[in-house]
Amino acid sequence: FFFDLESCKMRRRATCTLLTTCINWTFNKATSSSHSVKSFNRATFASSADQNSAWASLAYQSGFGNEFATEALKGALPHGQNTPQHCPYGLYAEQLSGSSFTTPRARNQRVWLYRIMPTCKHGKWQKTDSGLIRADFSRENVVPDQLQWGPLPLPGPEQPTDFLQGWATFCGAGSPELRHGMAIHSYACNRPMERRAMCNSDGDLLIVPQTGALRLKTEMGLLTVAPGEICVVQRGIKFQVLVDGPSRGYVAEIFEGHFVLPDLGPVGAWGLANPRDFETPTARYEDAEEPWTLVQKFCGALYEAALDRSPFDVVAWHGNYAPYRYDLSRFCAFNSVTFDHLDPSSFTVLTAQTLEPGVAACDFVIFPPRWMVQEHSFRPPYYHRNCMSEYMGNIFGTYEAKQEGFAPGGASLHSPMIGHGPDAHTFEQGSTQELVPTKSDPDALAFMFESTYMFRVTDFASNNLLHPEYTKCWAPLRPHFDPENIAAGYGNS
């Protein structure tokens, strides 16, 4: 047996050249819209015209948890290694770790960034006002009651408020210090974050817009998120939120792990949220020397540091740790085609698991438009006591189990082992309706953050926007039991 080292090296170089050519061809095809790659060289967003053109020509990479590779300048990604002695174009190599170095490969998340300046160069951190953001839930309120809130008010023109200033924490459990638990926030804003960027040390953010579209500038590129869509920005990724008017929505923050797609089991290979429908940005960068402020969320408190240039200076990156968006209308819902109302877990879009298999720190569940065809069944959601906390929000329309009071932008919380279910009117309707195939309201979309943790409610949420008469929605319920009539029930008693 003869081993020719030089021949192997030549074949390896030829293979790398071929792969490089394929990557560059794919990248150029993905970005060959009305805007050229060169447009995102120096001072990419110097004018509003540049900005509008940039946002109008966005390209995304398809897939969930992929090993992505993208460059805004051809050849900016090093080949064959991560930290060459000299990076292309004089860039710095910087790794962002989303998991520990020794996390098993199947769950290991990290990204290599090739940027104009490393992120360690910034001013001294100064603590700043955290507003209504909370993270120490040991000091918050234990409230076992079923709760319902109205929408967070949108700020008026006399009250300019950006995304970060408009945050309000409603409830949560655990601690970012121990990387255990989660928090639920709402936001209401009306102006962009102007030369301000946020970086969250505490956890991953799942953002659910309800009113107004968001434009997110991140280290990995740009993405837009409108009502009916969601996005996830993971721990440690810098981002800026731009809005064009009043905007409102919800945020789930997980202190542990990351969101993944739920296993499908006997459902098969496809269904629910399909991996191909998740979209991750392509590399875009700014080379602008101008004053910026970086806001770091650290153990629930906010700290500011001055920057002398834009933090969005990543020219190329590769890895599997990057923000993404998802259009909820692409969710392939499953429902019973014989009898009974299925458990809401069948509508899970994303899940963040605890160490106990099958038990979630946070499940993100939606209730999309769908056909209901169950025979001899009560079709609305059943009455329930859950071992999990259920925090619900309403994006559009009227939720099927609450005909009144649960407005778009509002929320409700049903804590572990506290009874809940359809209001009296919905029970009456579900007990007497003709059981023909029916499609739920095509203009309605509600969701749920479900968690194994028992939430404490913040002072703000305990004293603002509450519907004090919420529990009266069940007051008209009355017994229909008749030991002499096996057919007793609503409409038969």
Side-chain angles (χ1 to χ4, degrees), residues 45 51 55 215-219 221-223 238-242 286 292 310 312:
F45 305 107
Q51 292 189 32
W55 292 102
R215 290 176 287 127
L216 271 70
K217 188 182 296 185
T218 79
E219 292 181 273
L222 312 178
L223 65 158
K238 298 183 183 70
F239 68 100
Q240 178 191 37
V241 177
L242 307 174
E286 294 177 346
W292 276 71
S310 169
F312 304 110

Side-chain angles (χ1 to χ4, degrees), residues 73 148 382 426-427 462:
L73 288 177
Q148 187 181 75
Y382 46 75
T426 303
F427 176 79
S462 297

Side-chain angles (χ1 to χ4, degrees), residues 27 59 62 119 155 287 310 312 328 407 441 457 488:
F27 172 79
S62 172
T119 57
D287 184 9
S310 169
F312 304 110
L328 298 176
D441 185 353
V457 182

Side-chain angles (χ1 to χ4, degrees), residues 381-454:
Y382 46 75
Y383 291 102
H384 190 208
R385 288 185 299 157
N386 198 348
C387 63
M388 312 278 277
S389 294
E390 299 183 12
Y391 182 97
M392 288 196 60
N394 189 8
I395 302 173
F396 306 126
T398 301
Y399 175 55
E400 59 201 81
K402 296 288 187 298
Q403 299 297 316
E404 296 180 2
F406 191 34
S412 67
L413 174 63
H414 300 144
S415 295
M417 300 306 172
I418 303 298
H420 56 276
D423 58 27
H425 174 73
T426 303
F427 176 79
E428 175 185 350
Q429 193 175 58
S431 300
T432 57
Q433 70 180 115
E434 184 181 3
L435 296 180
V436 297
T438 305
K439 189 169 186 178
S440 63
D441 185 353
D443 297 320
L445 179 61
F447 73 89
M448 177 169 65
F449 298 139
E450 186 177 53
S451 175
T452 187
Y453 299 118
M454 300 179 73

Side-chain angles (χ1 to χ4, degrees), residues 11-29:
R11 285 194 293 271
R12 183 174 179 270
R13 284 195 293 269
T15 302
C16 288
T17 302
L18 177 61
L19 288 174
T20 302
T21 303
C22 291
I23 290 172
N24 288 336
W25 179 86
T26 303
F27 172 79
N28 290 332
K29 290 289 286 183

Side-chain angles (χ1 to χ4, degrees), residues 63 72 134 373 403 480:
R134 298 291 181 269
V373 300
Q403 299 297 316
H480 300 284

Side-chain angles (χ1 to χ4, degrees), residues 1-277:
F1 176 76
F2 178 72
F3 182 79
D4 186 344
L5 180 61
E6 289 304 315
S7 296
C8 287
K9 288 181 177 179
M10 290 176 64
R11 285 194 293 271
R12 183 174 179 270
R13 284 195 293 269
T15 302
C16 288
T17 302
L18 177 61
L19 288 174
T20 302
T21 303
C22 291
I23 290 172
N24 288 336
W25 179 86
T26 303
F27 172 79
N28 290 332
K29 290 289 286 183
T31 57
S32 61
S33 58
S34 59
H35 221 77
S36 67
V37 174
K38 291 182 180 178
S39 303
F40 296 99
N41 292 353
R42 297 185 180 274
T44 299
F45 305 107
S47 69
S48 59
D50 290 335
Q51 292 189 32
N52 292 337
S53 183
W55 292 102
S57 62
L58 295 184
Y60 294 94
Q61 303 173 95
S62 172
F64 188 91
N66 295 17
E67 287 288 338
F68 295 108
T70 173
E71 51 189 13
L73 288 177
K74 185 177 180 180
L77 279 174
H79 297 295
Q81 63 180 121
N82 293 319
T83 57
Q85 187 176 23
H86 301 286
C87 291
Y89 298 102
L91 298 171
Y92 287 88
E94 180 178 87
Q95 182 180 196
L96 173 59
S97 296
S99 57
S100 68
F101 295 141
T102 54
T103 295
R105 179 171 292 198
R107 294 185 288 109
N108 202 299
Q109 297 191 30
R110 67 282 174 274
V111 61
W112 278 98
L113 309 171
Y114 298 90
R115 61 191 318 145
I116 298 171
M117 286 297 294
T119 57
C120 54
K121 185 183 178 184
H122 55 72
K124 186 175 178 60
W125 293 109
Q126 302 289 338
K127 194 170 185 179
T128 188
D129 182 15
S130 299
L132 295 174
I133 297 174
R134 298 291 181 269
D136 184 358
F137 294 103
S138 65
R139 300 184 178 185
E140 303 302 336
N141 305 290
V142 176
V143 185
D145 297 317
Q146 303 101 327
L147 301 175
Q148 187 181 75
W149 292 275
L152 201 61
L154 292 167
E158 73 288 348
Q159 188 183 6
T161 306
D162 70 22
F163 175 79
L164 190 52
Q165 294 167 334
W167 260 24
T169 306
F170 274 59
C171 58
S175 164
E177 297 175 61
L178 301 177
R179 295 197 173 185
H180 183 74
M182 70 168 295
I184 296 176
H185 320 271
S186 286
Y187 68 87
C189 58
N190 61 357
R191 74 167 181 178
M193 295 171 65
E194 297 176 353
R195 291 191 186 177
R196 272 164 47 97
M198 179 185 179
C199 183
N200 188 11
S201 295
D202 293 348
D204 292 9
L205 303 176
L206 191 162
I207 303 172
V208 186
Q210 185 272 319
T211 296
L214 306 180
R215 290 176 287 127
L216 271 70
K217 188 182 296 185
T218 79
E219 292 181 273
M220 287 75 171
L222 312 178
L223 65 158
T224 61
V225 194
E229 300 174 331
I230 62 168
C231 72
V232 171
V233 182
Q234 295 92 330
R235 183 198 308 265
I237 295 175
K238 298 183 183 70
F239 68 100
Q240 178 191 37
V241 177
L242 307 174
V243 298
D244 295 317
S247 303
R248 178 173 54 212
Y250 311 84
V251 180
E253 181 182 18
I254 54 170
F255 303 146
E256 58 190 295
H258 302 291
F259 286 104
V260 298
L261 295 175
D263 291 330
L264 294 179
V267 166
W270 297 98
L272 306 185
N274 291 316
R276 66 173 296 189
D277 294 324

